[in-house]
Amino acid sequence: QEKISAVVIDGYPARALWVREFTDFFIPEVDKRLAETGNYQMEWQENYGGSIVKPRGVLEGIQLGLGDIGIVTTIFHSSKLPSQGIAGSTPFVSSDARAVAKAVDEIAREFPAMNNEFEAQNQVYLATGVVLDTYQIFCSSEVSSVADLEGKKIAGAGLNLRYLEGIKDAAGVRGGLTDFYNMVQTGLVDCAMLWPEAAATFKIAEVAPYMLQADLGAVNTKTVTVNAGYWSGLPDEVKDVLRAVAIDYRNHVASIAMDIAAASKAAYIEAGGTIVEVSAEDRAVWANSMPNIAQEWAETLNANGEQGTEMLSAYLAKLADAGFSGVRDWTAN
Amino acid sequence: MSPIEIGLISVVAIVFLIYSGVYIPVALGMVSFVSIWLMRDNFTLALNLLKIAVGDSAMEYSFATIPLFTFMGLIVSKAGLGRDIYAVMTMRFRKVKGGIGMATVGANAVFAAVTGSSIASASVFTKVSVPQMMAQDYNSRFAVGVVAGSSVLGMIIPPSAMLIIYSFVAEQSVGDMFLAGVIPGILLAIAYVAAIWFMGRFTPNFVGGRVVEDTEWMSAREIASKTLPTLFLITVVLGGIYTGWLTAVEAGAAGALVALIIAFFRRSMTPKAFWNALLETGHITAAILFLITAASIYSRMLGLAGLPNQLEDLLAGSSASFWTVMLLYVLLMLFLGTLLDTASIILIVVPLFLPLVEALDMSLIWFGIITVVGAEIGLLTPPLGISCFVIKSTIDDDRISLKDVFMGALPFAFVMLIVLFILIEFPILSLALI
Amino acid sequence: MFKSAVAGLSRITNTLAIATNALGTLVVLALVVILNVDVISRGVFSAPLKGTYEMVQFSVVLIVFLQLADVVRVDRLTRSDGFLNVVHARRPLVAANLRRIINAISAIFMGLIAYITFPEFLHMWSTQDYFGVPGLFTLPWWPVKLVISMGTTLSCLIFVLKVIAGKDRSELVRTPEHDES
Ligand code: NA
Ligand code: NA
């Protein structure tokens, strides 16, 4: 029996959902499957919460070999990993984390773009790890439709601030997840964009009791990768097990995310929150007044010599096959 | 070699190098570099560790608080705000035995809320307070001791560079750390005042001084003009953070702007002094953040060696009690405090103890207050006590030796230690405002 | 001949250190301005400045590495030199040599960082990698990498010159920033 050591890194702490499931699901599952033949045994060393890298540093940490396997938070790296913006650039399509995770993962396997981007960072793509269920809008005062967002200050982070370009006079205010409660409470902003699980964690219902169910869509945020040098030194049997478990991990985490989202919505109502449904027409109006960020995304990839346009169509087709078609056709100009 | 052994050897090597006079960031960085190189037998990996740590350690939004609050503190010092508060305070405390000492503590506590460093407090109050106390026949050791002791308030009461540094190492919010420092800082100030009262009562010779009868009362207008600028600044900074209107970084920027406006209206600053304040802000920021960067190389090295995991396992297997860990921690800080500055102590001990604290399920914010107060005792202890050095070099009076400063500060260091144990026993004191 | 070459080089590095220091100082000022403009335009005009967060992050790194060489020049890098001062009082020659060794180690450390970050600058320059969110606000990475490698290179050179010259002041504490003038 050969022993193989593996240093796993993430900058987020061990209590974060995807990290916890890496410890409780991914690792035992790999051990179990390797034990079936008994040829190899992994020796795991897990380093989370900034003990080797910070959240933003996982990509570089895997690249430089400070960790062998890592969970890269891709939204930090729009420049190095542009193709990872695929779900974020196609809002209003699907709020099902499982479907989005699967579609993104298949795109990664059918088109070379995602693999190429990670290869340039000296690492191998294993699977799309984590998908948030969907962003919603949480407001301090009563809102009954999307039109009520006009002229409001809305907190968000990253790509989702661009969704606000579809709302007249709405000002996006950049903030960290931990600041949103305060920002809404003090009136610094009128609303905040976050997903239900985060809303429950940070007790957003206390300050923003109106949730506009805009269903902006599930977004892929994390990817499990392996250092290229480490990968090439692994026996084929271990590689196969890692690949297979990565896909199971993807589905496992996505379905947990969906369960948590449902529970979080219930908790939000219980805490005194009101969920305001948004009609399909309203969502369509919003989506249609936005710039076509999906096209921008595809063109960026085309310019990099990748098949951006084809990837976009294929991705949306996969979601349509799974029963999710958007209120706006992002492939049309 | 086991990770624990590597960890221990590297700590010994770092302490040895630092005590021999090697620049602290260089000692931290080089020992970490060599440790990785030997441990993994991989020179490139060691270089890569340097690369990633230098690349992303300084790149932190909340670090902007360091230059901003430093700049604000320099401006308010130069604008004479400390002197004004002191003048108002002495008027109130004149008739009590040791009264000017109490006034110095009070003025320091207020001034601490607008400056982020103990050095600023020590140098400002050496100039305004020591000469007055000497003129009223106070014991010179007591006079400098009070200034040294109360200078540490500057880094416990927010804003504080040390709370910022801790919040980075332990990944806590700077705003929360600031709020956590308020009650412990006030508590320490009260403990100092009580200690002075006791000293005046039971060791009057150590205090000295005569009671002054010719009290001149200031007009309400004068009091207002001396206190309002500072109160306004405190309101902007702490109020902004407390209400959530401003992040700690924004509060720093707003505070710097307000301080500049105050200095401008009082016509108390030349363009040259303004430029110097900017230059010094840069120097201090670079020195602190380079130290933080090097410390992050060291803590990442410990992580790569697997030390945090080993410590957790060790703790799970043993039954180290809460007080065992805390006593060990305080002792280590006191030991390092003999020769190291506060920031270095925090950066060296926190990565070692963080896994233990997390395993014991203690609040990291409370732990931060313990760390900052414990590490600051070192400001007052020989042979290297920065606050005492600053006082000695500012005072320019050959009758007062460095030894006198240390001797005078000793009772105050002892009071700090007692307050530290109170803070350990009652976490609510640190956590009430959050 | 050698001595005058060292002195000349020393003048050049010192001038450069002071110049980058002044630049870093302007960054401090810019930080105060940007944040206040953002706070005011957000609060009063409901129009926050785009990219404040990114600019603040960048400016912190710029301040550190633009100032580093000057910090080295005036010997204000954090250290505990109590022991050195004791040795200096008894055996000045030993202390001087000890300082040389320390400066040499420091030069190596700075040199290693410069050596590992300079290729990073070239890489960022050629790939034009950026930081931030496209369509909202982005900043190129290369200036940061350039400043880090330049700052550490300059610091390395200053340490090397200190080793050669063997001159180093020793004072109890240096706090010119609190002179009230
Ligand atoms: Na303070
Ligand atoms: Na000390």
Side-chain angles (χ1 to χ4, degrees):
Chain A
Q1 194 185 36
E2 193 186 324
K3 288 190 192 307
I4 297 170
S5 75
V7 178
V8 184
I9 59 170
D10 193 354
Y12 288 96
R15 61 176 177 277
L17 168 71
W18 61 94
V19 180
R20 199 180 65 219
E21 292 307 322
F22 202 93
T23 305
D24 294 347
F25 179 86
F26 192 102
I27 288 177
E29 199 60 32
V30 170
D31 288 344
K32 195 176 87 190
R33 293 190 201 181
L34 285 176
E36 282 166 14
T37 62
N39 293 329
Y40 304 99
Q41 192 190 358
M42 302 296 287
E43 290 185 320
W44 303 96
Q45 179 187 324
E46 297 170 84
N47 285 90
Y48 305 128
S51 70
I52 293 182
V53 287
K54 297 199 278 182
R56 194 183 287 281
V58 181
L59 183 71
E60 202 182 0
I62 297 292
Q63 180 201 0
L64 298 176
L66 295 175
D68 302 318
I69 302 177
I71 308 172
V72 176
T73 302
T74 50
I75 41 180
F76 289 134
H77 307 285
S78 339
S79 163
K80 293 190 178 76
L81 309 171
S83 66
Q84 292 291 323
I86 187 163
S89 305
T90 50
F92 299 104
V93 178
S94 168
S95 293
D96 189 308
R98 291 159 299 201
V100 170
K102 185 161 179 285
V104 173
D105 209 26
E106 284 172 9
I107 291 294
R109 289 165 213 287
E110 290 163 22
F111 293 86
M114 292 188 182
N115 281 299
N116 288 346
E117 286 167 10
F118 280 109
E119 201 180 298
Q121 304 302 320
N122 189 36
Q123 44 209 293
V124 175
Y125 170 98
L126 266 195
T128 287
V130 175
V131 170
L132 303 171
D133 66 313
T134 178
Y135 284 105
Q136 308 284 16
I137 315 257
F138 295 82
C139 295
S140 53
S141 59
E142 190 164 0
V143 281
S144 54
S145 69
V146 172
D148 288 347
L149 295 179
E150 285 173 13
K152 287 210 156 54
K153 281 185 281 188
I154 301 171
L159 201 54
N160 66 24
L161 285 173
R162 295 214 61 196
Y163 304 167
L164 299 176
E165 289 172 27
I167 292 173
K168 193 164 158 283
D169 295 332
V173 179
R174 191 194 198 290
L177 205 51
T178 49
D179 308 324
F180 285 173
Y181 183 98
N182 258 334
M183 292 169 88
V184 178
Q185 187 187 34
T186 56
L188 196 67
V189 294
D190 307 298
C191 307
M193 263 187 291
L194 57 168
W195 62 103
E197 184 204 352
T201 308
F202 295 101
K203 301 191 169 62
I204 293 296
E206 294 173 9
V207 292
Y210 301 95
M211 180 188 115
L212 202 59
Q213 183 157 354
D215 285 343
L216 293 163
V219 175
N220 60 313
T221 59
K222 289 171 207 295
T223 298
V224 182
T225 70
V226 186
N227 174 275
Y230 176 81
W231 182 255
S232 65
L234 287 177
D236 285 340
E237 183 185 335
V238 177
K239 283 184 184 166
D240 291 341
V241 167
L242 285 175
R243 277 201 203 97
V245 173
I247 292 175
D248 291 349
Y249 170 77
R250 171 197 91 196
N251 293 336
H252 178 74
V253 175
S255 77
I256 292 182
M258 292 304 286
D259 294 345
I260 292 177
S264 304
K265 268 195 201 167
Y268 179 76
I269 295 173
E270 196 164 325
T274 310
I275 295 183
V276 182
E277 299 280 344
V278 178
S279 67
E281 298 84 67
D282 247 17
R283 293 174 72 232
V285 170
W286 183 350
N288 283 312
S289 40
M290 266 179 65
N292 192 336
I293 56 175
Q295 284 297 333
E296 289 176 26
W297 175 84
E299 275 153 27
T300 305
L301 287 184
N302 291 343
N304 289 352
E306 301 289 356
Q307 302 156 274
T309 309
E310 292 84 346
M311 284 167 78
L312 180 61
S313 316
Y315 172 72
L316 292 171
K318 281 177 194 300
L319 286 179
D321 288 348
F324 301 99
S325 26
V327 292
R328 171 172 175 183
D329 179 9
W330 293 111
T331 58
N333 273 314
Chain B
M1 259 197 298
S2 79
I4 299 270
E5 282 166 335
I6 292 173
L8 283 178
I9 293 172
S10 67
V11 170
V12 172
I14 286 169
V15 170
F16 171 78
L17 289 180
I18 290 175
Y19 278 38
S20 341
V22 175
Y23 296 97
I24 298 172
V26 175
L28 287 166
M30 281 305 259
V31 168
S32 308
F33 178 78
V34 173
S35 298
I36 291 292
W37 183 10
L38 295 180
M39 189 171 68
R40 293 286 179 91
D41 192 20
N42 187 338
F43 185 75
T44 317
L45 189 72
L47 274 178
N48 285 345
L49 182 78
L50 284 192
K51 182 175 173 178
I52 196 165
V54 170
D56 76 5
S57 296
M59 186 118 174
E60 191 75 31
Y61 176 78
S62 63
F63 278 176
T65 44
I66 292 178
L68 292 168
F69 282 119
T70 303
F71 183 57
M72 179 181 106
L74 292 175
I75 298 291
V76 293
S77 296
K78 286 174 203 271
L81 259 49
R83 191 184 298 269
D84 283 359
I85 301 159
Y86 177 74
V88 175
M89 286 279 181
T90 42
M91 187 185 78
R92 292 260 165 247
F93 283 96
R94 228 168 229 196
K95 290 190 171 179
V96 192
K97 174 83 177 167
I100 303 196
M102 297 178 190
T104 305
V105 173
N108 252 299
V110 178
F111 187 64
V114 291
T115 181
S117 98
S118 296
I119 295 174
S121 301
S123 73
V124 167
F125 286 91
T126 305
K127 276 179 226 148
V128 299
S129 174
V130 174
Q132 278 226 36
M133 282 197 263
M134 302 286 278
Q136 291 183 24
D137 296 334
Y138 276 84
N139 182 337
S140 57
R141 283 191 176 179
F142 173 77
V144 289
V146 169
V147 173
S150 50
S151 72
V152 301
L153 294 171
M155 296 217 270
I156 294 170
I157 293 175
S160 148
M162 296 309 134
L163 292 172
I164 296 170
I165 290 175
Y166 175 83
S167 70
F168 168 69
V169 189
E171 297 187 316
Q172 299 299 304
S173 126
V174 175
D176 284 352
M177 283 312 301
F178 276 10
L179 296 177
V182 174
I183 294 177
I186 294 172
L187 181 71
L188 184 61
I190 293 172
Y192 280 160
V193 170
I196 293 171
W197 185 83
F198 272 105
M199 285 185 237
R201 177 109 194 201
F202 298 106
T203 58
N205 287 339
F206 176 71
V207 176
R210 58 188 155 82
V211 174
V212 182
E213 294 299 343
D214 55 328
T215 333
E216 269 180 53
W217 292 99
M218 287 180 205
S219 65
R221 197 189 155 83
E222 201 176 347
I223 294 178
S225 84
K226 283 192 189 310
T227 53
L228 283 182
T230 305
L231 291 180
F232 179 60
L233 197 50
I234 294 174
T235 312
V236 169
V237 172
L238 287 187
I241 294 172
Y242 190 74
T243 57
W245 260 102
L246 302 173
T247 64
V249 171
E250 290 163 352
L257 183 66
V258 171
L260 275 176
I261 292 171
I262 292 170
F264 176 78
F265 276 106
R266 297 168 62 123
R267 298 200 184 85
S268 51
M269 203 170 41
T270 60
K272 172 98 180 125
F274 171 69
W275 180 251
N276 280 341
L278 276 174
L279 277 182
E280 292 306 326
T281 302
H283 276 166
I284 293 170
T285 306
I288 291 182
L289 287 184
F290 194 63
L291 180 64
I292 290 181
T293 303
S296 113
I297 300 174
Y298 154 76
S299 83
R300 289 161 198 252
M301 179 278 288
L302 293 180
L304 260 171
L307 186 78
N309 312 45
Q310 293 270 323
L311 274 180
E312 267 171 63
D313 295 348
L314 202 70
L315 195 80
S318 81
S319 54
S321 78
F322 171 78
W323 276 102
T324 318
V325 174
M326 292 318 292
L327 278 177
L328 197 72
Y329 189 58
V330 172
L331 277 177
L332 184 63
M333 284 195 291
L334 290 180
F335 168 70
L336 292 176
T338 56
L339 266 180
L340 298 193
D341 68 296
T342 315
S344 309
I345 298 172
I346 296 174
L347 292 168
I348 290 171
V349 297
V350 173
L352 283 172
F353 276 76
L354 220 46
L356 293 181
V357 177
E358 283 185 316
L360 285 172
D361 220 14
M362 296 185 272
S363 154
L364 286 181
I365 291 188
W366 160 84
F367 186 67
I369 298 298
I370 303 304
T371 305
V372 171
V373 175
E376 298 230 319
I377 295 177
L379 286 170
L380 306 180
T381 59
L384 184 120
I386 307 276
S387 276
C388 297
F389 284 4
V390 172
I391 290 167
K392 171 63 188 147
S393 58
T394 314
I395 203 162
D396 208 20
D397 181 341
D398 288 337
R399 287 172 301 168
I400 301 174
S401 69
L402 187 59
K403 189 179 163 200
D404 289 327
V405 185
F406 278 121
M407 290 308 286
L410 211 56
F412 295 94
F414 186 68
V415 173
M416 274 187 92
L417 194 60
I418 294 172
V419 170
L420 178 61
F421 282 116
I422 295 174
L423 292 173
I424 293 176
E425 179 62 32
F426 302 104
I428 185 72
L429 291 169
S430 311
L431 303 174
L433 289 183
I434 298 157
Chain C
M1 178 65 192
F2 178 69
K3 261 191 183 162
S4 69
V6 169
L9 201 56
S10 196
R11 258 200 309 281
I12 296 171
T13 54
N14 285 353
T15 312
L16 278 173
I18 293 168
T20 56
N21 179 42
L23 261 175
T25 299
L26 292 178
V27 179
V28 175
L29 200 57
L31 195 60
V32 176
V33 173
I34 290 169
L35 279 160
N36 277 295
V37 169
D38 182 41
V39 167
I40 292 167
S41 74
R42 184 184 66 199
V44 181
F45 306 106
S46 284
L49 217 60
K50 270 187 187 167
T52 308
Y53 200 91
E54 286 81 6
M55 284 191 276
V56 169
Q57 284 179 301
F58 259 51
S59 64
V60 176
V61 186
L62 295 184
I63 292 170
V64 176
F65 287 94
L66 283 172
Q67 301 268 0
L68 187 62
D70 204 49
V71 170
V72 170
R73 182 183 69 87
V74 299
D75 198 18
R76 288 194 61 187
L77 216 53
T78 323
R79 83 186 316 180
S80 169
D81 51 6
F83 172 73
L84 271 180
N85 290 337
V86 170
V87 176
H88 182 81
R90 301 205 184 133
R91 314 282 289 276
L93 213 66
V94 174
N97 282 322
L98 210 53
R99 281 178 187 280
R100 276 205 157 106
I101 295 171
I102 291 170
N103 286 333
I105 297 174
S106 310
I108 294 172
F109 182 61
M110 294 295 183
L112 283 172
I113 299 177
Y115 167 77
I116 195 75
T117 45
F118 187 69
E120 188 83 346
F121 156 66
L122 294 179
H123 182 69
M124 294 294 160
W125 175 263
S126 66
T127 59
Q128 288 293 313
D129 259 354
Y130 58 79
F131 177 72
V133 180
L136 283 172
F137 187 84
T138 59
L139 283 169
W141 266 113
W142 66 262
V144 166
K145 303 294 178 188
L146 177 67
V147 164
I148 295 179
S149 56
M150 269 186 38
T152 46
T153 304
L154 204 51
S155 305
C156 173
L157 280 177
I158 293 174
F159 272 127
V160 168
L161 291 169
K162 281 189 178 189
V163 174
I164 297 171
K167 277 187 298 194
D168 223 344
R169 305 169 298 152
S170 72
E171 287 169 44
L172 204 53
V173 66
R174 283 166 290 270
T175 56
E177 66 271 22
H178 296 294
D179 294 343
E180 284 190 38
S181 60

